Amino acid sequence: MKSMVLRILKAPDGSRKLGFYNEHDSKRPYNSIPITLDTSSQNLNAMEKLRLVLINKKKNQEKSYQQQDLIGFDEI
């Protein structure tokens, strides 16, 4: 096997599984494992901090890509 694809599968009851697909059959997973929600406050706080860091990083990138005034109308 040269490659493998991982997909998150959602069942009709709302539960989720991580499906493993190989290169020979990309329509049906050959194996899957259940994904459970971890609601411990420590992990939720860490995820919230990471979310805020990513938001701030995105805002800083957007600011750094703004085009500057090339003609210089301020000097006229």
Coordinates of all heavy atoms in Angstrom, one line a residue:
M1 N 0.8 -1.2 0.0 CA 0.0 0.0 0.0 C 0.9 1.2 0.0 O 1.8 1.4 0.8 CB -0.9 0.0 1.2 CG -1.8 1.2 1.3 SD -3.0 1.3 2.6 CE -2.8 -0.1 3.6
K2 N 0.6 2.1 -0.9 CA 1.4 3.4 -1.0 C 0.8 4.5 -0.3 O 1.5 5.5 0.0 CB 1.7 3.7 -2.5 CG 2.5 2.7 -3.2 CD 2.7 3.1 -4.6 CE 3.5 2.0 -5.4 NZ 3.7 2.4 -6.8
S3 N -0.5 4.5 -0.2 CA -1.2 5.7 0.4 C -2.4 5.2 1.2 O -2.9 4.1 1.1 CB -1.6 6.6 -0.7 OG -2.6 6.1 -1.5
M4 N -2.8 6.1 2.1 CA -4.0 5.9 3.0 C -4.7 7.2 3.1 O -4.1 8.3 3.2 CB -3.6 5.3 4.3 CG -4.7 5.1 5.2 SD -4.3 4.7 6.9 CE -3.0 3.4 6.7
V5 N -6.0 7.2 3.2 CA -6.8 8.3 3.4 C -7.6 8.2 4.7 O -8.1 7.1 5.0 CB -7.8 8.5 2.2 CG1 -8.7 9.7 2.5 CG2 -7.1 8.7 0.9
L6 N -7.6 9.2 5.5 CA -8.4 9.2 6.7 C -9.6 10.2 6.5 O -9.4 11.3 6.1 CB -7.6 9.7 7.9 CG -6.3 8.9 8.2 CD1 -5.5 9.5 9.3 CD2 -6.6 7.4 8.5
R7 N -10.8 9.8 6.9 CA -11.9 10.7 6.9 C -12.7 10.5 8.1 O -12.8 9.5 8.7 CB -12.8 10.3 5.7 CG -12.2 10.5 4.3 CD -13.3 10.3 3.2 NE -12.6 10.4 2.0 CZ -12.8 9.6 0.9 NH1 -13.6 8.5 1.1 NH2 -12.1 9.7 -0.2
I8 N -13.3 11.6 8.5 CA -14.3 11.6 9.7 C -15.6 11.3 9.1 O -16.2 12.0 8.3 CB -14.2 12.9 10.4 CG1 -12.9 13.2 11.0 CG2 -15.3 12.9 11.5 CD1 -12.7 14.5 11.8
L9 N -16.2 10.2 9.6 CA -17.5 9.7 9.2 C -18.6 10.1 10.2 O -18.4 9.8 11.4 CB -17.5 8.2 8.9 CG -16.3 7.7 8.1 CD1 -16.3 6.2 8.1 CD2 -16.5 8.2 6.7
K10 N -19.7 10.6 9.8 CA -20.8 10.9 10.7 C -22.0 10.0 10.5 O -22.5 9.9 9.4 CB -21.2 12.4 10.5 CG -22.2 12.8 11.6 CD -22.6 14.3 11.4 CE -23.6 14.7 12.4 NZ -24.0 16.1 12.2
A11 N -22.4 9.3 11.5 CA -23.5 8.3 11.4 C -24.8 9.1 11.6 O -24.8 10.2 12.1 CB -23.4 7.3 12.5
P12 N -25.9 8.5 11.2 CA -27.2 9.1 11.3 C -27.6 9.5 12.7 O -28.3 10.5 13.0 CB -28.2 8.1 10.8 CG -27.4 7.2 9.8 CD -26.0 7.2 10.4
D13 N -27.0 8.8 13.7 CA -27.3 9.1 15.1 C -26.5 10.2 15.7 O -26.6 10.6 16.8 CB -27.2 7.9 16.0 CG -25.8 7.4 16.1 OD1 -24.9 7.8 15.4 OD2 -25.6 6.4 16.9
G14 N -25.6 10.8 14.8 CA -24.7 11.9 15.3 C -23.3 11.5 15.7 O -22.5 12.3 15.9
S15 N -23.1 10.2 15.9 CA -21.8 9.8 16.4 C -20.8 9.8 15.2 O -21.2 9.8 14.1 CB -21.9 8.3 16.9 OG -22.2 7.4 15.9
R16 N -19.5 9.9 15.6 CA -18.5 10.1 14.5 C -17.5 9.0 14.7 O -17.2 8.5 15.8 CB -17.8 11.5 14.7 CG -18.8 12.6 14.2 CD -18.1 13.9 14.3 NE -18.8 15.0 13.7 CZ -19.9 15.6 14.2 NH1 -20.3 15.2 15.4 NH2 -20.5 16.5 13.6
K17 N -16.9 8.6 13.5 CA -15.8 7.6 13.5 C -14.7 8.1 12.6 O -15.0 8.9 11.6 CB -16.3 6.3 13.0 CG -17.3 5.6 13.9 CD -17.6 4.2 13.4 CE -18.5 3.4 14.3 NZ -18.8 2.1 13.9
L18 N -13.5 7.7 12.8 CA -12.4 7.9 11.9 C -12.3 6.7 11.0 O -12.0 5.6 11.4 CB -11.1 8.2 12.7 CG -9.9 8.6 11.9 CD1 -10.1 9.9 11.2 CD2 -8.7 8.7 12.8
G19 N -12.5 6.9 9.7 CA -12.4 5.9 8.7 C -11.1 5.8 8.0 O -10.6 6.8 7.6
F20 N -10.6 4.6 7.8 CA -9.3 4.4 7.1 C -9.6 3.8 5.8 O -10.3 2.7 5.7 CB -8.4 3.4 7.9 CG -8.0 4.0 9.3 CD1 -8.8 3.7 10.4 CD2 -6.9 4.7 9.4 CE1 -8.5 4.2 11.6 CE2 -6.5 5.2 10.7 CZ -7.4 4.9 11.8
Y21 N -9.1 4.4 4.7 CA -9.3 4.0 3.3 C -8.0 3.6 2.7 O -7.0 4.3 3.0 CB -10.0 5.0 2.5 CG -11.4 5.4 2.9 CD1 -11.6 6.3 4.0 CD2 -12.5 4.9 2.3 CE1 -12.8 6.6 4.4 CE2 -13.8 5.3 2.7 CZ -13.9 6.1 3.8 OH -15.2 6.5 4.2
N22 N -7.9 2.6 1.9 CA -6.7 2.3 1.2 C -6.8 2.7 -0.3 O -7.9 3.0 -0.7 CB -6.2 0.9 1.4 CG -7.2 -0.1 0.8 OD1 -8.0 0.2 0.0 ND2 -7.2 -1.3 1.4
E23 N -5.8 2.5 -1.0 CA -5.8 2.9 -2.4 C -6.6 2.0 -3.3 O -7.0 2.4 -4.4 CB -4.4 3.0 -3.0 CG -3.6 1.7 -2.9 CD -2.1 1.9 -3.1 OE1 -1.6 3.0 -3.0 OE2 -1.5 0.9 -3.4
H24 N -7.0 0.8 -2.9 CA -7.7 -0.1 -3.7 C -9.2 0.1 -3.6 O -9.9 -0.2 -4.6 CB -7.4 -1.6 -3.3 CG -5.9 -1.9 -3.4 ND1 -5.3 -1.9 -4.6 CD2 -5.0 -2.1 -2.5 CE1 -4.0 -2.2 -4.4 NE2 -3.8 -2.3 -3.1
D25 N -9.7 0.6 -2.5 CA -11.2 0.9 -2.3 C -11.3 2.2 -1.6 O -11.3 2.3 -0.4 CB -11.8 -0.3 -1.6 CG -13.3 -0.2 -1.5 OD1 -13.9 0.8 -2.2 OD2 -14.0 -1.0 -0.9
S26 N -11.6 3.2 -2.4 CA -11.7 4.6 -1.8 C -13.2 4.9 -1.4 O -13.4 6.0 -0.9 CB -11.2 5.6 -2.7 OG -11.9 5.6 -3.9
K27 N -14.1 4.0 -1.6 CA -15.5 4.2 -1.3 C -15.9 3.7 0.1 O -16.7 4.2 0.8 CB -16.4 3.7 -2.4 CG -16.1 4.3 -3.7 CD -17.3 4.2 -4.6 CE -17.0 4.6 -6.0 NZ -16.9 6.0 -6.2
R28 N -15.3 2.6 0.5 CA -15.6 1.9 1.8 C -14.4 1.8 2.6 O -13.3 1.4 2.2 CB -16.2 0.5 1.5 CG -17.6 0.6 0.8 CD -18.0 -0.8 0.6 NE -17.1 -1.4 -0.4 CZ -17.2 -2.7 -0.8 NH1 -18.1 -3.4 -0.5 NH2 -16.3 -3.1 -1.7
P29 N -14.5 2.3 3.9 CA -13.3 2.1 4.8 C -13.0 0.7 5.1 O -14.0 -0.1 5.3 CB -13.7 3.0 6.0 CG -15.2 2.9 6.0 CD -15.6 2.9 4.6
Y30 N -11.8 0.3 5.2 CA -11.5 -1.0 5.6 C -11.4 -1.2 7.1 O -11.5 -2.3 7.6 CB -10.1 -1.5 5.0 CG -8.9 -0.9 5.5 CD1 -8.2 -1.4 6.6 CD2 -8.4 0.2 4.8 CE1 -7.1 -0.8 7.1 CE2 -7.2 0.8 5.3 CZ -6.6 0.3 6.4 OH -5.4 0.9 6.9
N31 N -11.4 0.0 7.8 CA -11.4 -0.1 9.3 C -11.8 1.3 9.8 O -11.7 2.3 9.1 CB -10.0 -0.4 9.9 CG -10.1 -1.0 11.3 OD1 -11.2 -1.0 11.9 ND2 -9.0 -1.4 11.8
S32 N -12.4 1.3 11.0 CA -12.8 2.6 11.6 C -12.7 2.5 13.1 O -12.8 1.4 13.7 CB -14.2 3.0 11.2 OG -15.1 2.1 11.6
I33 N -12.5 3.7 13.7 CA -12.4 3.7 15.2 C -13.4 4.8 15.6 O -13.5 5.9 15.0 CB -11.0 3.9 15.8 CG1 -10.4 5.2 15.2 CG2 -10.1 2.7 15.5 CD1 -9.1 5.5 15.8
P34 N -14.1 4.7 16.8 CA -15.0 5.7 17.2 C -14.2 6.9 17.8 O -13.1 6.8 18.3 CB -15.8 5.0 18.3 CG -14.9 3.9 18.8 CD -14.1 3.5 17.6
I35 N -14.8 8.1 17.6 CA -14.3 9.3 18.1 C -15.2 9.8 19.2 O -16.4 9.9 19.0 CB -14.2 10.4 17.0 CG1 -13.3 10.0 15.8 CG2 -13.7 11.7 17.6 CD1 -13.4 10.9 14.7
T36 N -14.6 10.0 20.4 CA -15.4 10.5 21.5 C -15.1 11.9 21.9 O -13.9 12.3 21.7 CB -15.2 9.6 22.7 OG1 -13.8 9.6 23.1 CG2 -15.6 8.1 22.5
L37 N -16.0 12.6 22.4 CA -15.9 14.0 22.8 C -15.3 14.1 24.2 O -15.8 13.4 25.1 CB -17.2 14.7 22.8 CG -17.2 16.2 23.2 CD1 -16.4 17.0 22.2 CD2 -18.6 16.7 23.2
D38 N -14.1 14.8 24.3 CA -13.5 14.9 25.6 C -13.9 16.3 26.1 O -13.5 17.3 25.6 CB -12.0 14.8 25.4 CG -11.2 14.9 26.7 OD1 -11.9 14.9 27.8 OD2 -10.0 14.9 26.7
T39 N -14.7 16.3 27.2 CA -15.2 17.5 27.7 C -14.5 18.0 29.0 O -15.0 18.8 29.7 CB -16.7 17.4 28.0 OG1 -16.9 16.3 28.9 CG2 -17.5 17.2 26.8
S40 N -13.3 17.5 29.2 CA -12.6 17.9 30.4 C -12.2 19.4 30.3 O -11.9 19.9 29.2 CB -11.3 17.1 30.7 OG -10.3 17.4 29.7
S41 N -12.3 20.2 31.4 CA -12.1 21.6 31.3 C -10.7 22.0 30.9 O -10.5 23.0 30.2 CB -12.5 22.2 32.6 OG -11.6 21.8 33.6
Q42 N -9.7 21.2 31.2 CA -8.4 21.5 30.9 C -8.2 21.5 29.3 O -7.6 22.4 28.8 CB -7.4 20.5 31.5 CG -5.9 20.8 31.2 CD -5.0 19.8 31.9 OE1 -5.5 18.8 32.5 NE2 -3.7 20.0 31.8
N43 N -8.7 20.5 28.7 CA -8.6 20.4 27.2 C -9.4 21.4 26.6 O -9.0 22.0 25.5 CB -9.0 19.0 26.8 CG -8.0 17.9 27.1 OD1 -6.9 18.2 27.4 ND2 -8.5 16.7 27.2
L44 N -10.6 21.7 27.1 CA -11.4 22.8 26.5 C -10.7 24.1 26.6 O -10.7 25.0 25.6 CB -12.8 22.8 27.1 CG -13.7 21.6 26.8 CD1 -15.0 21.7 27.6 CD2 -13.9 21.5 25.3
N45 N -10.1 24.4 27.7 CA -9.3 25.7 27.9 C -8.2 25.8 26.9 O -7.9 26.8 26.3 CB -8.8 25.8 29.3 CG -10.0 26.1 30.3 OD1 -11.0 26.6 29.9 ND2 -9.8 25.8 31.5
A46 N -7.4 24.7 26.7 CA -6.3 24.6 25.8 C -6.8 24.9 24.4 O -6.1 25.6 23.6 CB -5.6 23.3 25.9
M47 N -7.9 24.3 24.0 CA -8.4 24.5 22.7 C -8.9 25.9 22.4 O -8.7 26.5 21.4 CB -9.6 23.5 22.4 CG -9.1 22.1 22.2 SD -10.3 20.8 22.1 CE -11.5 21.5 21.0
E48 N -9.5 26.5 23.4 CA -9.9 27.9 23.3 C -8.7 28.8 23.2 O -8.7 29.7 22.4 CB -10.7 28.3 24.6 CG -11.2 29.7 24.5 CD -12.2 30.0 23.4 OE1 -12.8 29.1 22.8 OE2 -12.3 31.2 23.1
K49 N -7.6 28.6 23.9 CA -6.4 29.4 23.8 C -5.8 29.2 22.4 O -5.4 30.2 21.8 CB -5.4 29.0 24.8 CG -5.7 29.4 26.2 CD -4.7 29.0 27.2 CE -5.1 29.3 28.6 NZ -4.1 28.8 29.6
L50 N -5.8 28.0 21.9 CA -5.3 27.8 20.5 C -6.2 28.5 19.5 O -5.7 29.1 18.5 CB -5.3 26.3 20.2 CG -4.8 25.9 18.8 CD1 -3.4 26.4 18.6 CD2 -4.9 24.4 18.6
R51 N -7.5 28.5 19.7 CA -8.4 29.2 18.7 C -8.1 30.7 18.7 O -8.0 31.3 17.7 CB -9.8 28.9 19.1 CG -10.9 29.5 18.2 CD -12.3 29.2 18.6 NE -12.6 30.1 19.7 CZ -13.1 31.3 19.6 NH1 -13.2 31.8 18.4 NH2 -13.5 32.0 20.6
L52 N -7.9 31.3 19.9 CA -7.6 32.7 20.0 C -6.3 33.0 19.3 O -6.1 34.0 18.7 CB -7.6 33.2 21.4 CG -9.0 33.1 22.1 CD1 -8.9 33.4 23.6 CD2 -10.0 34.0 21.4
V53 N -5.3 32.2 19.5 CA -4.0 32.4 18.9 C -4.1 32.3 17.4 O -3.5 33.2 16.7 CB -2.9 31.3 19.4 CG1 -1.7 31.3 18.5 CG2 -2.6 31.6 20.8
L54 N -4.8 31.4 16.9 CA -5.0 31.3 15.4 C -5.8 32.5 14.8 O -5.5 33.0 13.8 CB -5.7 30.0 15.1 CG -4.9 28.7 15.3 CD1 -5.8 27.5 15.1 CD2 -3.7 28.7 14.5
I55 N -6.8 33.0 15.6 CA -7.5 34.2 15.1 C -6.6 35.4 15.1 O -6.6 36.1 14.1 CB -8.7 34.4 16.0 CG1 -9.8 33.4 15.8 CG2 -9.3 35.8 15.8 CD1 -10.9 33.4 16.8
N56 N -5.8 35.6 16.1 CA -4.9 36.7 16.1 C -3.8 36.6 15.0 O -3.5 37.6 14.4 CB -4.2 36.8 17.5 CG -5.1 37.3 18.6 OD1 -6.1 38.0 18.3 ND2 -4.8 36.9 19.8
K57 N -3.3 35.4 14.8 CA -2.4 35.2 13.7 C -3.0 35.5 12.4 O -2.3 36.2 11.5 CB -1.9 33.7 13.7 CG -0.8 33.4 12.7 CD -0.3 32.0 12.9 CE 0.8 31.7 11.8 NZ 1.3 30.4 11.9
K58 N -4.2 35.1 12.1 CA -4.9 35.4 10.9 C -5.1 36.9 10.7 O -4.8 37.5 9.6 CB -6.2 34.7 10.8 CG -6.9 34.9 9.5 CD -8.2 34.1 9.4 CE -8.9 34.3 8.1 NZ -10.1 33.5 8.0
K59 N -5.4 37.6 11.8 CA -5.6 39.1 11.7 C -4.3 39.8 11.4 O -4.3 40.7 10.6 CB -6.2 39.6 13.0 CG -7.6 39.3 13.2 CD -8.1 39.9 14.5 CE -9.6 39.5 14.8 NZ -10.0 40.0 16.1
N60 N -3.2 39.3 12.0 CA -1.9 39.9 11.7 C -1.5 39.7 10.3 O -0.8 40.6 9.7 CB -0.9 39.4 12.7 CG -1.1 39.9 14.1 OD1 -1.7 40.9 14.3 ND2 -0.6 39.2 15.1
Q61 N -1.7 38.5 9.8 CA -1.4 38.3 8.4 C -2.2 39.1 7.4 O -1.6 39.6 6.4 CB -1.6 36.8 8.0 CG -0.6 35.8 8.6 CD -0.9 34.4 8.3 OE1 -2.0 34.0 7.9 NE2 0.1 33.5 8.5
E62 N -3.5 39.3 7.7 CA -4.3 40.2 6.9 C -3.8 41.6 6.9 O -3.7 42.3 5.8 CB -5.7 40.2 7.3 CG -6.4 38.8 7.0 CD -7.8 38.7 7.6 OE1 -8.2 39.7 8.3 OE2 -8.5 37.7 7.4
K63 N -3.3 42.1 8.0 CA -2.8 43.5 8.1 C -1.5 43.6 7.4 O -1.2 44.6 6.7 CB -2.6 43.9 9.6 CG -3.8 44.1 10.4 CD -3.5 44.4 11.8 CE -4.8 44.6 12.6 NZ -4.5 44.8 14.0
S64 N -0.6 42.6 7.4 CA 0.7 42.7 6.8 C 0.6 42.6 5.3 O 1.5 43.1 4.6 CB 1.6 41.6 7.3 OG 1.1 40.3 6.9
Y65 N -0.5 42.1 4.7 CA -0.7 42.0 3.3 C -1.4 43.2 2.6 O -1.7 43.2 1.5 CB -1.4 40.7 2.9 CG -0.5 39.5 3.1 CD1 -1.0 38.5 4.0 CD2 0.7 39.4 2.6 CE1 -0.2 37.4 4.2 CE2 1.5 38.3 2.8 CZ 1.0 37.3 3.6 OH 1.7 36.2 3.8
Q66 N -1.7 44.2 3.4 CA -2.4 45.4 2.8 C -1.4 46.2 1.9 O -0.3 46.4 2.3 CB -2.9 46.3 3.9 CG -4.1 45.7 4.7 CD -4.6 46.6 5.8 OE1 -3.9 47.6 6.1 NE2 -5.7 46.3 6.4
Q67 N -1.9 46.6 0.8 CA -1.1 47.3 -0.2 C -0.9 48.7 0.3 O -1.8 49.4 0.7 CB -1.7 47.3 -1.5 CG -0.8 47.9 -2.6 CD -1.4 47.8 -4.0 OE1 -2.4 47.1 -4.2 NE2 -0.8 48.5 -4.9
Q68 N 0.4 49.1 0.2 CA 0.7 50.5 0.6 C 0.5 51.5 -0.5 O 0.4 51.1 -1.7 CB 2.2 50.5 1.0 CG 2.6 49.6 2.2 CD 1.9 50.0 3.5 OE1 1.7 51.2 3.8 NE2 1.4 49.0 4.2
D69 N 0.4 52.7 -0.2 CA 0.2 53.8 -1.2 C 1.5 53.9 -2.0 O 2.5 54.2 -1.5 CB -0.1 55.1 -0.5 CG -0.5 56.2 -1.5 OD1 -0.7 55.9 -2.6 OD2 -0.5 57.4 -1.0
L70 N 1.3 53.6 -3.3 CA 2.5 53.6 -4.2 C 2.8 55.0 -4.8 O 3.9 55.3 -5.2 CB 2.3 52.6 -5.3 CG 2.2 51.1 -4.9 CD1 2.0 50.2 -6.1 CD2 3.4 50.7 -4.1
I71 N 1.8 55.8 -4.9 CA 1.9 57.1 -5.6 C 2.4 58.2 -4.6 O 3.1 59.1 -4.9 CB 0.6 57.5 -6.3 CG1 0.4 56.4 -7.3 CG2 0.8 58.8 -6.9 CD1 -0.9 56.6 -8.1
G72 N 1.9 58.1 -3.4 CA 2.3 59.1 -2.4 C 1.5 60.4 -2.4 O 2.0 61.5 -2.6
F73 N 0.2 60.3 -2.4 CA -0.6 61.5 -2.5 C -0.5 62.4 -1.2 O -0.8 63.5 -1.2 CB -2.1 61.1 -2.6 CG -2.5 60.6 -4.0 CD1 -2.8 59.3 -4.2 CD2 -2.5 61.5 -5.1 CE1 -3.1 58.8 -5.5 CE2 -2.8 61.1 -6.3 CZ -3.1 59.7 -6.6
D74 N 0.0 61.8 -0.1 CA 0.2 62.6 1.1 C 1.2 63.7 0.9 O 1.2 64.7 1.6 CB 0.6 61.7 2.2 CG -0.5 60.7 2.6 OD1 -1.7 61.0 2.4 OD2 -0.2 59.7 3.2
E75 N 2.1 63.5 0.0 CA 3.2 64.5 -0.2 C 2.8 65.6 -1.2 O 3.6 66.6 -1.4 CB 4.4 63.8 -0.7 CG 5.0 62.8 0.2 CD 6.1 61.9 -0.4 OE1 6.4 62.2 -1.5 OE2 6.5 61.0 0.3
I76 N 1.7 65.5 -1.9 CA 1.3 66.6 -2.8 C 0.7 67.8 -2.1 O 0.0 67.7 -1.2 CB 0.3 66.0 -3.9 CG1 1.0 64.9 -4.6 CG2 -0.2 67.1 -4.8 CD1 0.1 64.2 -5.7

